[in-house]
Amino acid sequence: MTVALAAATATTTLPCVYSGRVVSSFCYASNYLRSFSYPINVSGALSSIGIRYPSARRRCTFNVLRRGIYCLSTDISDVGFSSCSLNSYPPYGRLLPCPSENGPPRVEHLVVSEGGPVLEYISQTLNIPPLFVADLIRFGAVFYALVCPEPPPTATIEQMEAFKKYTDPSLLTKRSSIKGKTIREAQKTFRVASGDDFVEAGTYLRVHVHPKRFPRCYEIDWKSRIIAVTENYVVLDKPAGTSVGGTTDNIEETCATFTSRALGLDAPLKTTHQIDNCTEGCVILARNKEYCSIFHEKIREKQVKKLYLALAATPPPIGLITHYMRPVNLAPRLISSDFMKGWLLCQLEVMECKKVPWPTRLIEATHIEDCGWPTKDYAYECTINLLTGRTHQIRAQLAACGAPLVGDSTYMPAAIAESENPGLNPFGRNKKDYGNDEEARTLAMEEWIKHHGKEPSAAIGLQACHISWIDNDGERSYKAGSPWWR
């Protein structure tokens, strides 16, 4: 995965003196990383301290909550606070159990100038309390590489000079830790496992100071969401607003973690497949590596059948629906009804569709976001057999049919815009003929993307209602409970 550095909010470079060391430093604020792709090719921000550029600063305060649930400490006497005198950054509390809101995106890129324990180094360098850094490490929000990744084309002269300094062959040959490794191998990023881990001079660190949060995890009675427990796996009725296995910067607040704790398991459950954070329903969590591999193989061989309930704003066509998805790992997922070379086949079958009342105002207020759909008298509950399992597939395909899912703040605004302006979608049923004018096609695609909204923070009208497969000792079949809209 490549992080787009054009998203950086600001960059500044200046000499500083910190803890008796003279360093050159800079930092930027970037968007959250949402992919598990690995290795992660990030920017070569090569500093040993973060300086906050004024325009990148937004106020945010973490609330320390007195909850006795899965916390390192919730005693107010144990909570460390600090504010950075160099950049006037707001005070920090603890990450656990959960703040009332997400902090603004902040990712720091450092190169260690003096070896030592990683927790101590990050705390001193970024002027962040040690307890906060310990929480970040527990969240999986701190990464390291033996050698700093190459800076992007947008890097400044100072950044390039710093990169050349820390990757000079004469310097690298003196480091025993990278002996026998290629530069590419040494630039692979890994999560820091412990605050006591020693980092030597020249090590690259990436610190997600504000990981993406999932406060819903603390509101769920997880035992009540467990459908089945077997020797090899657990079936969970996943709540909407939670992550199955976590994000790049948060592997603490996940369905796998909280379900493991609810069952009192010694070994954490393992993710076998994903459904969107805003989707609820059946998820299989493996209890051991062996069954995790077995289930992955069943999915690859299309031996796992998944049925979904979708609550659409208008009725989609009954039967097989085929599209092709742009092979870009970014939302929104663009799809075309026509074959596109290199694009991914998407197929689903709408098995049944029935007219139901639109969710009441009370249900809407407590479960979903208002996406501006003009009429709210009736919705359409569809049973869908998912034949290919692409990210956002059902959401994108139904929206392309003019039947977006209720509460889907990403795809419903685009569907509304297309209904008001046919031809707006360059891949839709009323698309314009651009011939060989690739520039016009690209501009149209960029304009189309702008009409999509943000990812839902709550539920959408989608439930993984049924999952089944064949094991050595027979068929396995599980159903989720009633969807939120019933």
Side-chain angles (χ1 to χ4, degrees), residues 243-273:
S243 171
V244 177
T247 61
T248 299
D249 51 14
N250 187 344
I251 56 174
E252 163 70 18
E253 294 169 340
T254 71
C255 293
T257 299
F258 277 75
T259 304
S260 300
R261 290 171 179 164
L263 291 171
L265 301 179
D266 295 329
L269 293 165
K270 296 166 179 58
T271 303
T272 64
H273 63 110

Side-chain angles (χ1 to χ4, degrees), residues 140-157:
V142 181
F143 295 80
Y144 77 94
L146 295 175
V147 174
C148 186
E150 185 174 356
T154 54
T156 65
I157 295 175

Side-chain angles (χ1 to χ4, degrees), residues 287-353:
R287 297 188 65 173
N288 51 67
K289 291 182 179 179
E290 292 74 23
Y291 197 79
C292 190
S293 298
I294 290 172
F295 202 83
H296 283 160
E297 182 64 23
K298 291 183 183 295
I299 292 176
R300 283 193 295 270
E301 297 297 324
K302 300 187 183 303
Q303 297 175 7
V304 179
K305 183 177 181 179
K306 302 176 184 177
L307 296 181
Y308 284 79
L309 285 179
L311 189 67
T314 65
I318 299 293
L320 183 67
I321 300 177
T322 299
H323 288 93
Y324 298 88
M325 181 178 289
R326 183 177 68 145
V328 174
N329 191 27
L330 291 172
R333 307 292 169 143
L334 301 185
I335 60 173
S336 169
S337 55
D338 296 331
F339 172 79
M340 304 280 286
K341 185 178 180 180
W343 286 34
L344 306 173
L345 175 67
C346 294
Q347 287 188 319
L348 59 79
E349 178 189 7
V350 179
M351 303 169 64
E352 180 185 10
C353 184

